[in-house]
Amino acid sequence: MNALDLDASHDPNRTSWIEVAAESDFPIQNLPYGIFSTQRRERRIGVAIGERIVDLRALAEAGLFDGIVDRATLSAETLNAMMAAGRPVWRALRARLSDLLRVGGDRALLEMPQALTTAEEATMHLPAIVGDYVDFYSSIEHATNLGRIFRPQGEPLLPNWRWIPIGYHGRSATIVPSGTPIRRPLGQRKLPGAEAPIFGASTRLDIELEVGFFAGPGNALGEPLPIERAREHIFGSVLVNDWSARDIQAWEYQPLGPFLGKSFATTISPWVVTTEALEPFRVAGPTQIPAPLPYLQRHEPDNYEIALSVLLSSAAMRARAIDAAAISSTSFAGMYWSQAQQLAHAASNGAAIRPGDLFASGTISGARPGSQGSLIELTENGAHPLRLPDGDERAFLEDGDEVSILGRCLRDGFRSIGFGVARGRVLSAAR
Ligand code: CA
């Protein structure tokens, strides 16, 4: 197996002249990209470090990245052009940023305080224009759990599952950045024993804990993207909450898969943690039996060690100043199908991938109790509601509930980095 591809930007001893708390998700080893605005700055690309944001447009206009990437790419209102630029540019830009921010590095940014703002002042936006959005189903534990719930009479895992990274095309227009309120969806559902469905507000609103990646340079239409090169086409990752209405989903999903039960909202964390920043946390995924077909065979470790957790707070808890409750914790490292396999599969028929396309992993569930990434699994389809710290119970989400997904990479010998948060609060249904 190949060694990790590390450089000075991953050095755990490197520190920034910008103060960064030990527990911060954004030390100098991370340098995630996002799109922000403030009262005085229209939308632009930023890099998070500690509680500060570096204004890349200001730096580009000062010529600090000349020779690495053109100024227009860094002055854009989305990351799509940077995603298209490709890995050599991403790596050179990261090296340059790290040098501008490190103690003992280039002092040019030190003399440009106007190129820094605070996270508190900033409003975060979607990182990219997402042309296409795909959601996979790549956790074997999750697929098995849901198979048991939705098809109790049959084999939980369908015969194709171990051969194909199963996925569906979702709705890019309803991808929203963290903090955007989530309106409870209306839809058709059929109550047990009823002859006909009814239309109304979902009563089984759920979350799905996922990690997604943004595509970098695409492929030409008709030409597959080989798995050996897949990582060069993955710009970076974000946390994803694929909000799901289980009652709408259960009634509509056969024979063509999820539709309105999932298309009403998908929340993502606003900072894109780059594939370069994740490199120290790259690990081998589980052994796949049977061995996948050759076009899906891994040639290097291609999973990532990311500790994930889900927090829930109700309106009643917030009113009494009770901290959000941790309802799930799991790891991304055990995913059966990797990001590289997902991307190679998505392009294997010659379908064109474009920079900024978003690919979500599917719900991430582990084997032990409390490591499932959805309420339908955690509560066994509502049969065993969760108990909240104030004594209230939850089978599915109530109006006013707020869900936060957190992610953090930890590995001995490396500086820990994190993803920030993907958060959303449930609003009552439209009338
Ligand atoms: Ca999903």
Side-chain angles (χ1 to χ4, degrees):
M1 286 292 186
N2 304 22
L4 296 176
D5 191 1
L6 301 171
D7 60 31
S9 72
H10 301 104
D11 179 353
N13 297 315
R14 184 169 281 204
T15 55
S16 177
W17 46 267
I18 292 175
E19 192 185 339
V20 179
E23 68 278 11
S24 171
D25 281 347
F26 306 130
I28 192 170
Q29 289 79 6
N30 194 345
L31 305 177
Y33 296 102
I35 300 296
F36 76 101
S37 62
T38 66
Q39 283 199 325
R40 301 208 330 268
R41 294 170 217 248
E42 59 272 32
R43 280 179 201 226
R44 60 191 60 199
I45 300 171
V47 170
I49 180 154
E51 295 296 315
R52 311 297 290 278
I53 297 174
V54 183
D55 178 343
L56 277 210
R57 182 160 132 191
L59 269 55
E61 282 167 1
L64 295 191
F65 302 110
D66 287 356
I68 295 174
V69 57
D70 61 88
R71 295 184 185 188
T73 296
L74 294 182
S75 299
E77 295 186 356
T78 71
L79 287 166
N80 294 77
M82 200 198 298
M83 290 168 172
R87 201 173 182 197
V89 170
W90 304 337
R91 296 180 76 145
L93 189 58
R94 175 179 164 88
R96 177 76 171 128
L97 276 165
S98 186
D99 193 46
L100 287 165
L101 286 161
R102 76 183 171 96
V103 171
D106 188 313
R107 296 179 59 82
L109 178 53
L110 262 170
E111 282 140 33
M112 291 179 63
Q114 73 281 10
L116 287 169
T117 186
T118 63
E120 197 175 19
E121 281 178 289
T123 301
M124 298 305 300
H125 306 279
L126 283 180
I129 297 168
V130 181
D132 279 295
Y133 165 48
V134 168
D135 192 15
F136 284 96
Y137 193 53
S138 289
S139 156
I140 198 166
E141 292 84 0
H142 173 72
T144 304
N145 290 340
L146 275 212
R148 283 201 187 104
I149 291 168
F150 279 109
R151 295 180 303 277
Q153 303 84 1
E155 276 292 311
L157 220 50
L158 292 171
N160 57 6
W161 198 91
R162 287 175 183 270
W163 294 100
I164 295 175
I166 300 289
Y168 69 95
H169 278 95
R171 185 156 196 81
S172 57
T174 41
I175 296 170
V176 295
S178 178
T180 306
I182 305 301
R183 195 164 279 289
R184 179 179 297 275
L186 300 169
Q188 266 199 38
R189 58 203 165 93
K190 192 162 171 294
L191 301 174
E195 288 207 354
I198 55 173
F199 184 87
S202 169
T203 61
R204 290 162 68 84
L205 181 59
D206 200 352
I207 56 158
E208 290 195 338
L209 162 63
E210 307 194 18
V211 170
F213 70 83
F214 278 100
N219 54 326
L221 179 63
E223 291 182 18
L225 221 160
I227 191 165
E228 293 79 12
R229 308 204 57 183
R231 268 200 308 135
E232 295 167 35
H233 296 263
I234 297 175
F235 176 73
S237 296
V238 291
L239 304 171
V240 177
N241 185 350
D242 176 28
W243 304 88
S244 298
R246 300 301 180 193
D247 39 8
I248 300 171
Q249 181 186 359
W251 172 231
E252 75 176 3
Y253 90 105
Q254 287 178 319
L256 280 185
F259 187 34
L260 302 184
K262 285 168 176 288
S263 65
F264 56 94
T266 304
T267 299
I268 65 171
S269 55
W271 292 107
V272 186
V273 177
T274 63
T275 298
E276 274 68 42
L278 289 172
E279 180 65 14
F281 311 98
R282 189 157 59 86
V283 294
T287 304
Q288 295 178 308
I289 300 171
L293 296 176
Y295 82 99
L296 287 173
Q297 277 174 15
R298 306 165 131 143
H299 66 293
E300 60 181 4
D302 60 359
N303 273 28
Y304 294 99
E305 182 67 65
I306 306 172
L308 298 159
S309 55
V310 182
L311 304 181
L312 190 154
S313 84
S314 66
M317 286 167 65
R318 292 192 301 277
R320 292 170 57 190
I322 298 172
D323 286 345
I327 61 168
S328 176
S329 66
T330 190
S331 169
F332 192 48
M335 289 297 274
Y336 193 87
W337 296 106
S338 69
Q339 293 182 336
Q341 289 176 316
Q342 291 169 349
L343 185 60
H345 183 65
S348 62
N349 64 347
I353 310 293
R354 291 178 295 191
D357 286 355
L358 180 66
F359 295 84
S361 60
T363 309
I364 303 158
S365 292
R368 72 185 159 71
S371 66
Q372 291 76 26
S374 65
L375 287 170
I376 193 171
E377 292 168 89
L378 289 164
T379 68
E380 294 174 56
N381 201 18
H384 302 286
L386 302 178
R387 183 165 286 268
L388 299 180
D390 62 352
D392 209 357
E393 290 190 336
R394 279 295 178 283
F396 293 95
L397 296 173
E398 303 284 340
D399 292 349
D401 284 355
E402 183 177 276
V403 176
S404 302
I405 293 177
L406 306 171
R408 185 112 176 147
C409 302
L410 296 150
R411 195 169 195 179
D412 280 349
F414 293 100
R415 182 74 152 85
S416 181
I417 64 170
F419 282 75
V421 64
R423 177 179 294 138
R425 190 178 292 183
V426 178
L427 302 181
S428 58
R431 287 173 189 252

